[in-house]
Amino acid sequence: MKSESAYIFQLSSGLRCVFSSVNAPVAYCALGIVAGSRMDPIRLSGLSHLTEHMLFKGTQKRSAFHINNRLERLGGELNAYTTKEELVVHATVLKEDLAKAFDLLSDIFFHSTFPVQELAKEKEVIADEISSYKESPSELIVDEFDQLLFGEHPLSTPILGSRQSLALIKRSDLFDFAQRFFVPSHIVLSVVANISERQMQTLMQRHFDLASISFMAPPSYHGDLPTPFFLEKHRRTHQAHCLTGVRAYPYSDPKRIALALLMNFLGGTSPNARLNLLLREKHGLVYNVEASYTPYSDSGVAGIYFGSDKYDWKRCLSLVRTELDKICQAPLSPQQLQSIKKQLIGQLTIAADNAESKCLNQLKSMLVFGKVESLEQTSDKINAVTSSQIMEIAQELFTPDAMSTLLYI
């Protein structure tokens, strides 16, 4: 089946592949599953992330040394990451070495042995990562905000876990995790390479046509969520760090596109983002201010972060509130709306021109939606957003009583 510029295949085992052909000497591939930190047992938080690390430590036929050198000695790269809902291993190689990358990805996903002598060392590596993370308040505040915002919901689970939870994880827990989630019917392979569709199918069947295994669905949450909060924490930092936001729409909500457009307008990556112009360029109060929206399968987070002088955080927060009130009270002008649509579509188009980003983005789309939308389809959805829809979303999410705020000072 072809989905616009991407071809989608499915093996008899249930493993799916999304493939885009490009005229380039470099090939990109990524293997991903819907299994991140929200699937970790509460007492074993950090299990999915530790499992990701341990995939590189040995298989039935390769040592850690051979895994780390298999592609690198060819000039390629092998990497991985874990989010709240995904675990991904991805590789970059010359196109003639794509079969070698497939062989390695298949091996570490389905034949890892999680050597016990490597487990203790990797726990220490991650413990150091946790300590380093805690020394970066601009990153730590995001984790703590999520924990407060979601309470007992699985999305509150920190990706890295804690030193205490890491100490409890046993080798058998890694095998249990792999047996539960590393199954063909739950895996997507994404490829961007200069090969034919027929060659792609042949390589898939050779390296990934494995026996299907039943999959146990991740747990869902039906409990009560915390009420909005304002929490001030005293920390020994030279700046005040503030994160204010709300629980927002999941992937499936049609209002997701309008909210993404609004957050990009408020504090996206461009210097002309509204809050950057206001807090940094006009008033000189911050070095960094950003607005972001992260959707998940059953919820999402829309938040605004800034770091300021300790004596300026109240003024900054007041200016943010004033800007949100403007959007709640009056629709954007036709000129403003057209401008922010053009900017977001331009950013997405430029990002799609990067083959590695394309590989990871189409993997994400397959994991979440089971399909890949073309850039034209996404642009049509963005262009269909109206000023009244943006104002209604702002009124629904960004009223003062609905927002939560965490402050480090």
Side-chain angles (χ1 to χ4, degrees):
M1 179 177 68
K2 185 179 180 182
S3 177
E4 294 298 325
S5 61
Y7 291 89
I8 298 173
F9 316 120
Q10 185 167 4
L11 298 179
S12 58
S13 64
L15 189 145
R16 294 166 293 162
C17 174
V18 53
F19 162 60
S20 294
S21 179
V22 292
N23 184 19
V26 180
Y28 302 86
C29 57
L31 208 59
I33 56 172
V34 182
S37 60
R38 70 169 297 164
M39 287 73 165
D40 295 345
I42 294 175
R43 63 186 293 273
L44 301 180
S45 65
L47 174 60
S48 54
H49 179 252
L50 177 59
T51 303
E52 172 224 310
H53 276 233
M54 289 298 295
L55 292 176
F56 294 76
K57 299 306 175 182
T59 69
Q60 293 172 9
K61 66 178 182 180
R62 288 185 173 97
S63 67
F65 174 83
H66 290 105
I67 290 172
N68 290 323
N69 281 278
R70 175 60 170 158
L71 302 184
E72 277 72 6
R73 65 185 178 84
L74 304 172
E77 297 177 356
L78 179 67
N79 215 328
Y81 61 85
T82 304
T83 70
K84 288 185 180 289
E85 294 191 323
E86 297 143 22
L87 190 157
V88 175
V89 180
H90 56 103
T92 304
V93 292
L94 297 178
K95 65 178 182 180
E96 59 263 29
D97 296 323
L98 184 59
K100 295 181 176 68
F102 276 17
D103 178 62
L104 182 59
L105 291 180
S106 177
D107 191 29
I108 65 177
F109 247 71
F110 299 110
H111 304 292
S112 281
T113 55
F114 307 125
V116 66
Q117 68 273 19
E118 297 287 347
L119 181 57
K121 290 190 291 185
E122 210 57 31
K123 284 184 179 182
E124 283 301 314
V125 169
I126 296 175
D128 288 343
E129 187 179 356
I130 292 171
S131 297
S132 175
Y133 197 72
K134 288 183 176 180
E135 293 173 359
S136 176
S138 62
E139 295 180 335
L140 180 63
I141 198 171
V142 176
D143 262 4
E144 188 166 359
F145 185 82
D146 282 357
Q147 291 176 46
L148 293 166
L149 193 68
F150 287 106
E152 295 181 358
H153 189 289
L155 286 174
S156 68
T157 306
I159 294 171
L160 299 183
S162 66
R163 284 179 173 270
Q164 293 75 21
S165 62
L166 283 176
L168 297 174
I169 296 175
K170 301 175 183 177
R171 183 169 178 250
S172 59
D173 296 317
L174 304 181
F175 282 109
D176 289 344
F177 182 90
Q179 185 177 22
R180 184 178 179 190
F181 293 107
F182 291 5
V183 295
S185 59
H186 195 49
I187 294 174
V188 171
L189 172 67
S190 176
V191 182
V192 175
N194 185 15
I195 62 173
S196 69
E197 178 186 354
R198 188 170 184 175
Q199 289 174 308
M200 184 72 247
Q201 288 178 310
T202 300
L203 284 176
M204 275 191 67
Q205 290 168 348
R206 183 185 306 162
H207 296 285
F208 297 103
D209 198 5
L210 306 165
S212 181
I213 307 172
S214 61
F215 166 65
M216 185 184 300
S220 57
Y221 181 77
H222 304 288
D224 295 329
L225 291 168
T227 57
F229 58 86
F230 184 99
L231 182 61
E232 182 177 319
K233 288 201 166 186
H234 294 276
R235 295 186 177 272
R236 295 178 180 178
T237 58
H238 72 279
Q239 272 191 319
H241 298 267
C242 182
L243 180 53
T244 183
V246 293
R247 290 186 294 271
Y249 311 121
Y251 287 116
S252 58
D253 198 305
K255 291 181 281 189
R256 175 178 61 91
I257 298 294
L259 178 57
L261 185 62
L262 171 57
M263 299 307 283
N264 194 59
F265 163 64
L266 284 172
T269 57
S270 296
N272 71 336
R274 177 60 63 93
L275 292 176
N276 188 69
L277 292 176
L278 180 65
L279 271 65
R280 177 171 176 167
E281 301 300 329
K282 183 176 180 179
H283 294 286
L285 294 171
V286 303
Y287 174 73
N288 183 36
V289 56
E290 54 192 56
S292 62
Y293 164 48
T294 306
Y296 298 111
S297 58
D298 56 355
S299 188
V301 180
I304 297 168
Y305 162 83
F306 64 81
S308 72
D309 185 273
K310 289 190 175 184
Y311 300 102
D312 290 330
W313 71 265
K314 288 183 179 179
R315 187 181 178 199
C316 291
L317 194 57
S318 177
L319 288 170
V320 169
R321 181 67 259 166
T322 298
E323 202 59 40
L324 292 176
D325 287 342
K326 289 179 182 177
I327 298 171
C328 290
Q329 294 164 8
L332 298 175
S333 69
Q335 293 79 13
Q336 282 180 310
L337 182 62
Q338 184 58 35
S339 177
I340 66 174
K341 288 179 178 179
K342 170 67 175 175
Q343 182 172 27
L344 181 57
I345 291 171
Q347 291 169 343
L348 294 174
T349 303
I350 291 171
D353 196 50
N354 181 297
E356 182 177 38
S357 294
K358 184 173 185 177
C359 178
L360 296 175
N361 287 338
Q362 66 185 21
L363 173 71
K364 173 87 170 182
S365 185
M366 283 295 297
L367 288 173
V368 173
F369 301 110
K371 62 181 181 180
V372 177
E373 286 189 344
S374 68
L375 188 59
E376 290 74 20
Q377 290 172 314
T378 302
S379 298
D380 287 344
K381 289 183 178 181
I382 294 171
N383 282 322
V385 175
T386 65
S387 292
S388 60
Q389 287 174 332
I390 289 179
M391 185 172 69
E392 289 168 5
I393 285 172
Q395 291 171 345
E396 179 182 351
L397 296 181
F398 298 130
T399 58
D401 291 342
M403 297 190 69
S404 296
T405 301
L406 177 60
L407 176 69
Y408 287 172
I409 192 170

